[in-house]
Amino acid sequence: MNICFFRGKIISDINFKFIINSKNISISIFASELENGSVVICKGYDEIADIGYQYLEKDDYVYIYGFINSNGEIEIEKIYF
């Protein structure tokens, strides 16, 4: 996996789900548009998913530190808004 840092605008609704039979309890998924116009899918687990569900909304700007997984999605480690 590759480390990434970026700033983007959330362009989709925050999709929050509980996970059954997994090491993680919950997941939050959203699309973010970067400053260069690229769109990436961001996933946060457990505490990050809770933050996404409680505080983030469509059209918010976020700073994300995470990793690019094999599907080209960003797995969020830390998020600032």
Side-chain angles (χ1 to χ4, degrees), residues 3-66:
I3 295 175
C4 63
F5 299 89
F6 69 87
R7 180 186 120 147
K9 179 180 177 182
I10 298 174
I11 59 171
S12 69
D13 292 328
I14 310 298
N15 188 1
F16 180 84
K17 297 179 184 179
F18 287 103
I19 304 171
I20 299 173
N21 297 331
S22 176
K23 66 178 184 171
N24 298 306
I25 299 170
S26 59
I27 185 172
S28 181
I29 303 170
F30 59 89
S32 181
E33 181 179 17
L34 306 181
E35 291 181 354
N36 66 0
S38 301
V39 176
V40 293
I41 302 299
C42 303
K43 293 182 176 183
Y45 296 97
D46 299 332
E47 294 86 16
I48 300 293
D50 294 340
I51 290 170
Y53 178 72
Q54 291 178 358
Y55 300 110
L56 299 179
E57 295 178 356
K58 188 175 180 180
D59 295 328
D60 285 348
Y61 282 93
V62 292
Y63 295 91
I64 293 178
Y65 160 70

